[in-house]
Amino acid sequence: MTRLPDGAFFQRTSLVSVTSVTFPSSLVSIGHDAFAGCTSLVSVDLPASLTSIGNAAFHSCSALGSIAFPADLVSISWGAFFGCASLVSIDLPAGLVSIGHDAFAGCCSLGSVTFPASLTSIGDHAFARCSALTTVTFPAGLTSIGKHAFYLCSSLARVTVPDTATIGDEAFDSETTVLRLLPASMRDLQRWYEAVDGALAYKRCRPLLYGWLERAQTRLGSYGPDGAARQRDLEEFEGDFGHLALHSD
């Protein structure tokens, strides 16, 4: 199976109690409205082979909590995840180029979005009414943000947009501060953020690392040249195989 047809499970009453779906590894595309209205669907496991998600494919799947997209996906069609009110996180693929209009509109639990460097366009109303959205990171190569793309995102206080990108009418709420930077400056800023994230991760992990090294050193010490564990193993080995060495000549 390579393609799931349009409307394959559209508002199917037989899927009322189905909470998860795993697709075959051969699947390449999901048709329009394929799972629209499947309100009990909590998770989907998209295969690595998938390259296309149809319009409104998961429209109003209000219980869907998170989704990880396959690496080869280059576009997300219009309304694909419209009204997925429980969606709290999305892991966008590194090669994503465009996001269609209304793609994530009404995903009112979505807290943050980091767009990949490959993204060039965000459609009209793409993230409208994502009221929990507090952080959005745009790539330096972004060329267009559609009208009302982040409209009624009341928690979004500040965004940085490359000054080469066009911004549609009322793309952001009037309360959202929009900072325009040169793409080169945005790349420098992104590298700075990555460096800070790395430093914070190291700081969080350092006590665990030191603890592990201390335990490892203790274990290795007992197995050093004069360690008790090494001596015990040597005695056992000689007891089991020492007699063979006597007859090796």
Side-chain angles (χ1 to χ4, degrees):
M1 180 180 182
T2 59
R3 186 179 188 278
L4 194 66
D6 296 348
F9 299 99
F10 177 66
Q11 294 182 341
R12 286 284 186 89
T13 55
S14 59
L15 281 183
V16 168
S17 60
V18 174
T19 59
S20 64
V21 175
T22 300
F23 298 100
S25 58
S26 58
L27 192 69
V28 174
S29 66
I30 296 175
H32 307 321
D33 299 295
F35 292 92
C38 293
T39 56
S40 295
L41 193 61
V42 174
S43 64
V44 291
D45 185 10
L46 299 177
S49 57
L50 192 71
T51 59
S52 172
I53 297 176
N55 302 333
F58 295 91
H59 189 293
S60 299
C61 291
S62 54
L64 191 63
S66 64
I67 189 163
F69 296 96
D72 291 337
L73 192 69
V74 295
S75 66
I76 297 176
S77 301
W78 64 261
F81 298 91
F82 180 97
C84 292
S86 298
L87 195 64
V88 296
S89 65
I90 51 175
D91 185 9
L92 297 173
L96 189 68
V97 175
S98 64
I99 296 175
H101 70 79
D102 293 284
F104 295 95
C107 294
C108 55
S109 298
L110 192 62
S112 65
V113 180
T114 298
F115 296 108
S118 57
L119 190 74
T120 59
S121 67
I122 299 172
D124 299 345
H125 309 275
F127 291 87
R129 294 184 291 109
C130 291
S131 54
L133 196 60
T134 59
T135 306
V136 174
T137 304
F138 294 111
L142 188 68
T143 59
S144 66
I145 299 175
K147 63 182 180 182
H148 299 120
F150 294 88
Y151 189 63
L152 295 180
C153 293
S154 54
S155 299
L156 192 59
R158 180 186 177 94
V159 294
T160 303
V161 181
D163 65 357
T164 51
T166 60
I167 300 178
D169 295 339
E170 296 184 305
F172 301 95
D173 275 6
S174 58
E175 292 81 7
T176 302
T177 300
V178 180
L179 175 65
R180 305 300 298 268
L181 287 179
L182 291 169
S185 298
M186 288 194 66
R187 292 187 184 96
D188 290 341
L189 189 63
Q190 183 60 34
R191 282 193 287 268
W192 167 250
Y193 288 152
E194 290 171 356
V196 170
D197 288 343
L200 290 174
Y202 171 74
K203 184 177 181 180
R204 287 192 296 269
C205 294
R206 187 170 57 181
L208 298 175
L209 176 62
Y210 286 167
W212 181 86
L213 288 174
E214 185 177 351
R215 290 191 298 274
Q217 187 176 22
T218 300
R219 293 192 182 98
L220 288 172
S222 69
Y223 208 82
D226 301 317
R230 182 184 178 89
Q231 185 62 33
R232 182 195 65 234
D233 289 349
L234 180 60
E235 290 173 355
E236 289 181 359
F237 178 84
E238 290 178 343
D240 291 337
F241 302 103
H243 66 284
L244 298 178
L246 296 175
H247 302 288
S248 61
D249 295 334

